[in-house]
Amino acid sequence: MPLRQPDPLKNPERPYLALGLEGSANKLGAGVIQHLPSGDVKVLSNVRHTYITPPGEGFLPRDTALHHRQWALKVIKDAMEQAQIKMQDLDCICYTKGPGMGAPLQSVAVVARTLSLLYKKPLVGVNHCVGHIEMGRQITGASNPIVLYVSGGNTQVIAYSQQRYRIFGETLDIAVGNCLDRFARVIGLSNDPSPGYNIELMARNGGKGGHRPLRLVSLPYATKGMDVNLSGILTAAETLTQDPRFRANPTEEELCDNSLDIFTPADLCYSLQETVFAMLVEITERAMAHVGSKEVLIVGGVGCNERLQEMMGIMAEERGGSVFATDERFCIDNGIMIAQAGLLSYRMGFRTSLED
């Protein structure tokens, strides 16, 4: 690999404080971060509230935006109280500029601009994807990794080159989080705390309790170079719920009889995870080989999935590399990642005008 260029951002001469506001989807987050002259970074607060819909339902932009407007003041107040600072202490106010759902983004942008005008603080608009990556790098200490960014709206393999994040591979249709969430709704899993997490639990625990081991049901496997297709896999999994062999609520006798040719919701959750995650590992490994990297950083909401981390770890170990990932505090959409990326931009001289 070419030698890495020196970091253009030097340690600050004084402490800097930033408030970050995130609201690109159904999570509303506010967080306060501090950059110290020593180069250390302190997370002073990280507050989040989630808009949760009934089982089987997604979240609509209009309803999500209403949730953000209703909870914005409380979430921001809690974040400032936990950080034990006042608005006047902030150096800047950072907010998610995109990508994301239009109406929720607009709601949070209005709050950020209002606070900027009230307290005469500079605004910094932040790219949601960069927020995930910068927070992941800060928390894990990964220096120059291949980034697998997996969430409800994004699936991308990214690397940093010549002062830019460059996309090496991505989904050609739907995101992996969207794929998992939509299947969870098909089989009636709860949206609390999230449908994808409940799929993970079912895939992990569905074969326990003295019953037969989970069955790996064949699903389409679609990688194209460093890109993936996920909509066909979702359609195939949904179609299998109409198969005569599918048992939505299997009896004890059926679960204990290994001779029966049946499969359960847990089997489909397990099969969907294994297939999709194998595809993600493959394209990530291809990117690692292409750029000569030994590090993988997993960010985004799906990055919390322990099975994905385990599979990626096996691949990285075989290549003599390592995997970096964070827990749900920083994987799932949050305000502190927007504060981190925004404060880095602010210290480099970047500002967002009210007109933007």
Side-chain angles (χ1 to χ4, degrees):
M1 289 183 68
L3 290 176
R4 207 172 169 208
Q5 295 181 354
D7 191 343
L9 187 62
K10 307 304 179 184
N11 288 350
E13 71 283 356
R14 62 172 179 82
Y16 280 79
L17 287 167
L19 169 67
L21 303 177
E22 155 61 24
S24 60
N26 68 327
K27 279 78 177 175
L28 174 67
V32 178
I33 203 157
Q34 184 178 46
H35 289 185
L36 298 170
S38 63
D40 292 338
V41 173
K42 291 181 68 175
V43 174
L44 301 184
S45 64
N46 189 19
V47 180
R48 181 170 55 214
H49 194 274
T50 304
Y51 173 52
I52 296 174
T53 56
E57 296 183 15
F59 48 91
L60 299 174
R62 180 186 60 187
D63 299 333
T64 308
L66 177 61
H67 164 269
H68 291 359
R69 292 195 296 270
Q70 290 174 336
W71 282 91
L73 289 179
K74 175 170 175 49
V75 169
I76 293 171
K77 182 181 178 182
D78 289 349
M80 298 300 289
E81 288 179 351
Q82 288 184 22
Q84 298 182 340
I85 65 168
K86 298 178 181 179
M87 283 287 178
Q88 290 81 356
D89 301 325
L90 296 171
D91 288 286
C92 61
I93 294 172
C94 315
Y95 70 99
T96 304
K97 196 172 181 180
M101 301 171 70
L105 281 171
Q106 188 178 49
S107 295
V108 174
V110 168
V111 172
R113 289 168 180 170
T114 302
L115 292 174
S116 173
L117 288 170
L118 278 174
Y119 295 98
K120 296 180 174 56
K121 299 295 179 181
L123 269 179
V124 180
V126 175
N127 181 287
H128 180 84
C129 313
V130 174
H132 272 296
I133 296 171
E134 290 298 340
M135 199 65 212
R137 290 181 61 238
Q138 175 60 42
I139 293 298
T140 64
S143 59
N144 192 23
I146 289 292
V147 179
L148 176 64
Y149 173 32
V150 278
S151 68
N154 299 274
T155 300
Q156 297 174 327
V157 178
I158 301 168
Y160 192 75
S161 175
Q162 298 178 345
Q163 302 294 307
R164 295 286 188 276
Y165 283 111
R166 304 186 186 273
I167 299 172
F168 281 76
E170 60 187 335
T171 176
L172 298 176
D173 38 46
I174 62 173
V176 61
N178 190 8
C179 175
L180 296 173
D181 288 355
R182 284 168 61 180
F183 184 69
R185 291 169 187 137
V186 167
I187 60 177
L189 293 183
S190 172
N191 289 327
D192 188 11
S194 72
Y197 176 71
N198 291 324
I199 277 194
E200 179 184 2
L201 288 182
M202 185 166 280
R204 185 192 310 160
N205 302 323
K208 295 181 179 179
H211 301 144
R212 63 179 179 80
L214 287 170
R215 175 179 177 179
L216 183 63
V217 182
S218 178
L219 291 170
Y221 187 97
T223 60
K224 299 179 179 180
M226 291 190 206
D227 297 327
V228 293
N229 278 109
L230 297 169
S231 58
I233 299 169
L234 174 62
T235 300
E238 290 178 351
T239 302
L240 285 171
T241 63
Q242 308 300 318
D243 192 289
R245 297 168 294 169
F246 178 68
R247 299 291 188 274
N249 297 292
T251 64
E252 276 302 309
E253 292 76 14
E254 288 176 322
L255 288 173
C256 294
D257 189 347
N258 292 332
S259 65
L260 288 178
D261 182 19
I262 63 170
F263 48 86
T264 67
D267 292 327
L268 292 182
C269 289
Y270 170 70
S271 303
L272 184 61
Q273 272 202 171
E274 292 295 304
T275 305
V276 168
F277 291 170
M279 292 164 54
L280 296 177
V281 170
E282 178 185 333
I283 64 172
T284 304
E285 182 175 18
R286 194 166 285 136
M288 290 176 72
H290 181 73
V291 303
S293 175
K294 294 291 186 181
E295 295 181 340
V296 179
L297 172 63
I298 308 176
V299 299
V302 182
C304 297
N305 191 294
E306 294 181 2
R307 179 56 180 156
L308 175 59
Q309 294 178 15
E310 179 185 13
M311 292 173 69
M312 196 67 70
I314 293 171
M315 179 275 290
E317 185 178 0
E318 290 175 350
R319 297 183 61 85
S322 53
V323 171
F324 298 88
T326 63
D327 59 30
E328 60 88 25
R329 292 173 299 167
F330 305 109
C331 260
I332 297 173
D333 290 352
N334 59 84
I336 200 67
M337 71 181 194
I338 303 303
Q340 168 67 3
L343 190 51
L344 290 173
S345 296
Y346 174 80
R347 289 172 52 201
M348 285 296 293
F350 180 78
R351 308 288 187 273
T352 301
S353 67
L354 286 174
E355 290 75 18
D356 292 338

